[in-house]
Amino acid sequence: MQADSIIFSTSLINYHFTQSQSYIYTAAKLDNADANYQLFLLTQDELWLKKAASLNHIDGLYSWYSVLKAQNNNNQHVWLQQAINLGHKQATLEKLQLLVNAKQWQSAYDFQQLHLNVLNRLGGSLTQQYQQVQNLLSIFLDRSEQNKSPGNVAVTLNENLSETIVHKAIQVIPKLKCKITIQAIVESTALLSKAKQFEAALSRSALSDLSICFLPPQVTIELQIICQPDIYNRIECNLNQLAQTLTNIIDVAPVNYTHLMVIVDQGDANTRGGLMYLDKLDNDSVFIHELAHWLGLVDEYQLKAKQQQQLCSVSEAKWISPNLFVAPKKLNVNQLESLVGHKLFPAKTCVGSEFNAYKKYATPSFMEFLDLPLSSEYAQTIKQTLDYTKTLPVAMNFWVYYLNNKSRATEQSQIELLDIEYVKWLEVAAEQQYTPAMTLLAQRHIENSQNTDAYNLLLESAELGNVNAQLLLGHGYLDGSWLPQDIVKSAYWYQQAAKLKDPYGLYFYAKCHEMGWGCEFSLEKALDYYQQSKSLGNKLASKRLNALNIPL
């Protein structure tokens, strides 16, 4: 009986618990932090864990943070910070990873420097995780130093790019093996298999016989910094930083591929020009859908208003892509079917605008629903209409980017740097025989009195069917400003553009016949070509017909 009346002091209870783990419940109730944490481990009762954390048990703090994190509790970071304050290694790494994932690069760097003594003592898998974070931070530091260079305001550029590896590659790389050559870049080694998966998906599809090649995928961890979802959760990369990465970091020169596939951890898939964005969750159907954009097809689901303005606003009923016919709402479907010669079926592309969109087939397609496979009908449509010369190479994405930035730049040094990039990417696309790029580059040569270079580019582009190149040759031979004047050659190139039903080609070839410039003098033929030009919307032809007193 006497033993029952014995009351141990708090210090004695703690002593016995420390020595033998006895009196654990009593010790816990007497606010022993370790006892509370041990009871949590034994019972999984989170009340003991919360109390252990409240008593500043270092592992209890991090464990309680993890519980609150799983619950999306707003107070989670308070407990994480206290664990960091007490030197908890995993908590310190967790905070650093959170800052990096949020792309708060400067804050992450500052935090790393403040806690180096803890981070440098990590072990096991934590060391590997920390190494990955260090790699990303080193990229951030490189970019920061680059940003400090004078003369760079809107865009950061490498001033040594006037002698680029791209120019060297243009001189030595043979013609591309395939009409479309895809370079996949991924943000981690774990995503290499994803790139291979998409390549295999193409080889199994009905499009496998197209002239499309894949180069070996490249791991580019910089993507973790330069690519992130936009406000609509679509993947988007900083094009300046992506361009610098492509030219300075990965082993394959840009002239070796026409299209770029970027695969990152998360974000919605989308395609812009020659640039395709995918994430680790995208399946083969999503890839084939995005590939179809490269091959000329347009989405059949309702587009956003801005996209509708670009695609749906037509002056007259016409095919805007191989799979979609668009017309003003005032025209009924019977009129349109009579115009195209077959049945048309409603598509949702332009819903909400002043225009209607129609497709060739009644059944739902992979251009509307991403989980549907590519049908034989759509595969056949692609093959029948595909013009490889009109597939936009990724080099033109970068050309447009630098052109737009150059037009907004105010400082001469910045304009000159942007001009280097602008020309570099134009040269890449021209080397790949993208005829609009060849023609644009030729015009630049004309401006710089590099007439031989201009002529060679225009001649190749014109022979490949580019009407702008044909017209420029026609103009050059007609006025003799940069080519020897030769009205016969001038008429020939106007005729080539007219054969392609270009409204200005028809107009200038009509002018040749009207004036007898290098071709048969024939008012009858002139009027015919003027009428054809007018029917295609050329107002110059309408004015000329009016001047000749021909009824409009």
Side-chain angles (χ1 to χ4, degrees):
M1 296 295 294
Q2 188 177 8
D4 290 339
S5 65
I6 295 175
I7 300 176
F8 293 135
S9 66
T10 300
S11 59
L12 188 59
I13 292 292
N14 287 332
Y15 172 80
H16 282 290
F17 170 73
T18 302
Q19 294 298 313
S20 62
Q21 301 292 296
S22 58
Y23 300 105
I24 185 172
Y25 279 95
T26 305
K29 290 179 180 179
L30 291 173
D31 293 338
N32 183 296
D34 194 41
N36 278 276
Y37 187 67
Q38 292 299 323
L39 278 176
F40 162 69
L41 295 178
L42 289 170
T43 66
Q44 294 299 300
D45 186 339
E46 292 178 357
L47 289 176
W48 296 114
L49 176 61
K50 182 178 181 181
K51 187 174 180 183
S54 300
L55 294 168
N56 281 332
H57 187 278
I58 187 168
D59 290 327
L61 283 163
Y62 184 72
S63 297
W64 183 236
Y65 155 75
S66 299
V67 170
L68 296 181
K69 179 183 177 182
Q71 298 172 353
N72 290 320
N73 189 294
N74 292 332
N75 293 324
Q76 58 182 284
H77 297 293
V78 174
W79 301 94
L80 178 65
Q81 186 58 53
Q82 183 59 14
I84 293 169
N85 293 342
L86 295 177
H88 193 277
K89 295 177 182 178
Q90 192 167 353
T92 306
L93 179 59
E94 170 88 358
K95 177 68 173 182
L96 182 60
Q97 290 173 321
L98 287 172
L99 291 171
V100 168
N101 291 340
K103 295 182 170 55
Q104 297 177 17
W105 305 109
Q106 188 60 54
S107 297
Y109 174 73
D110 293 342
F111 180 87
Q112 179 201 34
Q113 297 303 303
L114 184 63
H115 297 279
L116 278 176
N117 61 324
V118 175
L119 294 168
N120 288 336
R121 291 186 286 109
L122 297 173
S125 62
L126 295 183
T127 301
Q128 295 177 343
Q129 294 177 43
Y130 179 48
Q131 184 61 53
Q132 292 178 346
V133 173
Q134 282 184 304
N135 290 340
L136 290 173
L137 284 175
S138 67
I139 298 167
F140 160 73
L141 291 175
D142 291 342
R143 297 289 187 231
S144 296
E145 288 303 312
Q146 197 176 35
N147 286 340
K148 294 175 183 177
S149 60
N152 297 330
V153 181
V155 184
T156 303
L157 298 172
N158 183 342
E159 295 191 20
N160 295 323
L161 289 178
S162 57
E163 298 180 4
T164 66
I165 60 172
V166 176
H167 288 113
K168 297 174 185 176
I170 286 176
Q171 296 170 11
V172 299
I173 296 298
K175 299 297 182 184
L176 295 169
K177 180 180 177 182
C178 297
K179 300 293 185 182
I180 295 176
T181 302
I182 301 172
Q183 176 65 65
I185 57 174
V186 300
E187 73 169 38
S188 67
T189 54
L191 293 175
L192 285 171
S193 60
K194 201 70 180 177
K196 287 296 185 180
Q197 173 190 324
F198 295 141
E199 182 178 0
L202 176 62
S203 68
R204 295 191 304 268
S205 77
L207 303 176
S208 60
D209 56 343
L210 294 179
S211 183
I212 303 177
C213 299
F214 279 80
L215 298 179
Q218 300 276 320
V219 178
T220 312
I221 62 173
E222 288 84 355
L223 298 179
Q224 298 179 36
I225 296 176
I226 65 180
C227 302
Q228 55 187 317
D230 65 11
I231 59 172
Y232 302 109
N233 202 46
R234 297 174 303 193
I235 305 165
E236 184 176 50
C237 294
N238 179 302
L239 288 187
N240 175 56
Q241 292 183 349
L242 182 58
Q244 302 306 309
T245 297
L246 294 175
T247 52
N248 298 329
I249 295 178
I250 74 167
D251 296 332
V252 184
V255 74
N256 284 355
Y257 51 87
T258 60
H259 291 69
L260 184 69
M261 177 195 297
V262 174
I263 307 176
V264 297
D265 191 60
Q266 61 180 350
D268 291 346
N270 64 96
T271 296
R272 307 176 191 189
L275 182 56
M276 182 190 299
Y277 294 115
L278 298 163
D279 79 359
K280 67 179 181 182
L281 298 179
D282 288 325
N283 57 26
D284 296 348
S285 294
V286 173
F287 162 65
I288 295 296
H289 174 96
E290 298 301 332
L291 177 66
H293 286 308
W294 278 351
L295 303 177
L297 271 56
V298 170
D299 290 319
E300 293 174 3
Y301 53 75
Q302 184 178 357
L303 300 179
K304 298 184 185 300
K306 186 175 181 179
Q307 291 174 295
Q308 288 182 341
Q309 290 175 3
Q310 296 172 340
L311 293 171
C312 300
S313 300
V314 295
S315 58
E316 58 182 12
K318 67 175 185 178
W319 291 99
I320 64 167
S321 68
N323 64 315
L324 282 178
F325 189 78
V326 173
K329 284 185 174 180
K330 64 182 180 181
L331 299 177
N332 63 54
V333 68
N334 293 329
Q335 292 174 293
L336 300 174
E337 288 176 343
S338 176
L339 182 63
V340 301
H342 57 74
K343 291 284 291 181
L344 291 171
F345 303 93
K348 298 177 182 178
T349 307
C350 302
V351 169
S353 72
E354 296 301 313
F355 302 87
N356 287 327
Y358 301 90
K359 55 185 182 177
K360 291 182 177 181
Y361 309 107
T363 55
S365 84
F366 79 121
M367 294 309 294
E368 181 178 1
F369 299 102
L370 297 184
D371 56 342
L372 291 180
L374 169 69
S375 68
S376 58
E377 292 86 359
Y378 274 78
Q380 192 62 28
T381 295
I382 289 172
K383 293 178 183 180
Q384 289 174 346
T385 59
L386 178 59
D387 183 351
Y388 290 108
T389 66
K390 293 182 180 178
T391 58
L392 190 72
V394 69
M396 296 304 284
N397 286 63
F398 298 115
W399 170 75
V400 170
Y401 172 82
Y402 287 115
L403 175 64
N404 291 338
N405 277 274
K406 180 183 173 183
S407 67
R408 292 192 294 264
T410 55
E411 296 182 10
Q412 186 59 35
S413 60
Q414 186 185 16
I415 292 172
E416 291 173 358
L417 290 173
L418 289 165
D419 190 65
I420 291 171
E421 295 294 298
Y422 157 90
V423 173
K424 178 181 74 177
W425 290 104
L426 200 57
E427 288 179 339
V428 171
E431 178 67 15
Q432 295 168 342
Q433 291 191 310
Y434 182 62
T435 58
M438 297 166 73
T439 304
L440 287 165
L441 191 58
Q443 288 177 282
R444 182 180 176 90
H445 288 326
I446 293 172
E447 293 170 2
N448 294 329
S449 299
Q450 298 168 324
N451 296 340
T452 301
D453 291 338
Y455 174 75
N456 291 335
L457 278 170
L458 284 181
L459 181 61
E460 186 177 5
S461 181
E463 290 176 342
L464 289 170
N466 185 278
V467 293
N468 288 328
Q470 293 166 350
L471 291 172
L472 284 171
L473 287 172
H475 299 336
Y477 280 120
L478 181 64
D479 61 32
S481 59
W482 66 278
L483 283 175
Q485 191 171 43
D486 189 327
I487 59 174
V488 174
K489 289 182 179 179
S490 174
Y492 169 80
W493 286 113
Y494 286 145
Q495 182 186 33
Q496 300 311 302
K499 286 179 179 179
L500 295 173
K501 299 302 180 184
D502 178 75
Y504 291 98
L506 290 162
Y507 173 81
F508 285 108
Y509 193 51
K511 197 80 171 176
C512 291
H513 280 293
E514 180 191 349
M515 308 301 294
W517 291 342
C519 63
E520 176 191 0
F521 173 79
S522 171
L523 187 58
E524 180 182 356
K525 290 183 177 180
L527 294 177
D528 178 46
Y529 284 114
Y530 280 136
Q531 289 285 6
Q532 291 185 57
S533 179
K534 170 182 168 292
S535 70
L536 293 173
N538 189 343
K539 294 181 179 179
L540 288 176
S542 297
K543 290 180 180 179
R544 192 60 193 157
L545 287 169
N546 185 49
L548 294 171
N549 294 318
I550 304 300
L552 300 180

